Amino acid sequence: MRIDPGANHGVGVAFTDRWGGVSEGSLSELNLGRVDVDEPDCLVANVAALRAATGVDGIALVHQVHGNRVLSIDQETVRRHHGYPDRTVLDEAPDAADPMPAADAMVSRVGGLALAIRVADCLPVMLADPQAGVIGAAHAGRNGLLCGVLEAVVAQMRRQGAREILAWIGPHICGSCYEVPRQMAEEVWASHPATRAITSWGTPSLDLGAEALAQLEGLGVAAVGLDPCTRESPELFSHRRDPGSGRLAGLVWIKN
Ligand SMILES: [Zn+2]
């Protein structure tokens, strides 16, 4: 796991790689999603390892659906979901009595609670205004970026008092790897020009990282991209490289 040293002033930011957990096979080692195929005991151990490494009390997760809904987390939310500190990725399985909220972004002012976004090629975008004590996190894949998830999370952070927002874009599939059908590429290129890219093998692709940077710049957010391409790095999970792969996580938290 990589804890970004640039995140400070009371805020932590981290992006996991595939090492440091106990899952096996194509999920090895630190799978943080894929609750449908991994062993429950492995998932519990992996989340415990993540909490130990970050030093947080709990990790807030959402049921990600490639949309733009932002979940605001306050102390009441934590209580209502019988305490996020006790939740694990196992809760991703929809439970009629207490379903994990469906959302693709979160905003919080709660100390000691990490917001976690799980990915394997999509972009995990972590955001913070350390001075104001407001953090946000977004799952920004193709659909999320096109339907405004970043705009939505930034707007919600500002409603909660954020002014100078910083963003960290975690590991994701790059523009040289993210091949899409030509018709889709041409439609997205027309509406979102920053996405225009070509794969290293010469076919139409989308540069989602460039699009995220362009959107964040337009929103007045200072952003950095931190990591290598998921598809090209054996240290990271990639759905495109291996559809059976596990899930990485990006995390942001306010230190206690
Ligand atoms: Zn790549």
Side-chain angles (χ1 to χ4, degrees):
M1 187 174 65
R2 174 168 169 177
I3 294 184
D4 179 38
N8 48 31
H9 301 291
V11 167
V13 173
F15 296 100
T16 64
D17 55 32
R18 67 182 300 167
W19 309 122
V22 299
S23 298
E24 297 183 343
S26 58
L27 302 172
S28 71
E29 298 169 345
L30 191 62
N31 170 47
L32 295 165
R34 300 308 310 275
V35 299
D36 51 332
V37 291
D38 204 350
E39 295 293 331
D41 288 350
C42 292
L43 287 158
V44 169
N46 290 347
V47 172
L50 192 55
R51 281 165 59 173
T54 54
V56 298
D57 300 328
I59 298 173
L61 305 162
V62 282
H63 181 59
Q64 299 170 189
V65 294
H66 298 282
N68 61 6
R69 178 169 177 249
V70 182
L71 178 71
S72 283
I73 294 176
D74 55 18
Q75 293 290 2
E76 176 54 31
T77 319
V78 173
R79 274 194 298 276
R80 195 164 61 242
H81 292 279
H82 43 213
Y84 269 109
D86 294 327
R87 293 188 80 94
T88 74
V89 289
L90 297 176
D91 292 322
E92 186 174 44
D95 172 352
D98 181 25
M100 171 173 282
D104 286 277
M106 288 174 274
V107 169
S108 169
R109 305 181 58 107
V110 180
L113 178 76
L115 309 180
I117 292 294
R118 292 166 294 163
V119 292
D121 288 341
C122 286
L123 288 66
V125 181
M126 305 297 116
L127 307 105
D129 177 344
Q131 305 300 333
V134 181
I135 55 173
H139 168 231
R142 173 170 51 85
N143 286 334
L145 283 170
L146 299 186
C147 73
V149 71
L150 294 181
E151 183 179 356
V153 72
V154 167
Q156 183 61 30
M157 289 178 71
R158 291 199 166 123
R159 278 194 288 274
Q160 297 199 18
R163 294 177 301 275
E164 299 282 322
I165 303 177
L166 310 171
W168 296 259
I169 300 172
H172 58 275
I173 192 166
C174 80
S176 297
C177 289
Y178 186 43
E179 180 179 66
V180 295
R182 175 168 291 280
Q183 185 181 344
M184 175 190 288
E186 289 178 348
E187 287 172 9
V188 177
W189 291 347
S191 58
H192 298 76
T195 61
R196 179 180 289 274
I198 299 291
T199 60
S200 56
W201 52 97
T203 58
S205 74
L206 301 178
D207 189 336
L208 300 183
E211 175 62 20
L213 282 170
Q215 289 190 16
L216 290 166
E217 183 181 12
L219 292 164
V221 173
V224 291
L226 288 178
D227 281 284
C229 169
T230 42
R231 183 177 171 276
E232 295 174 76
S233 173
E235 308 297 312
L236 303 172
F237 292 124
S238 167
H239 177 75
R240 279 289 177 101
R241 186 185 67 236
D242 173 10
S245 82
R247 292 292 178 271
L248 308 164
L251 303 105
V252 60
W253 66 96
I254 298 169
K255 295 173 185 172
N256 268 331

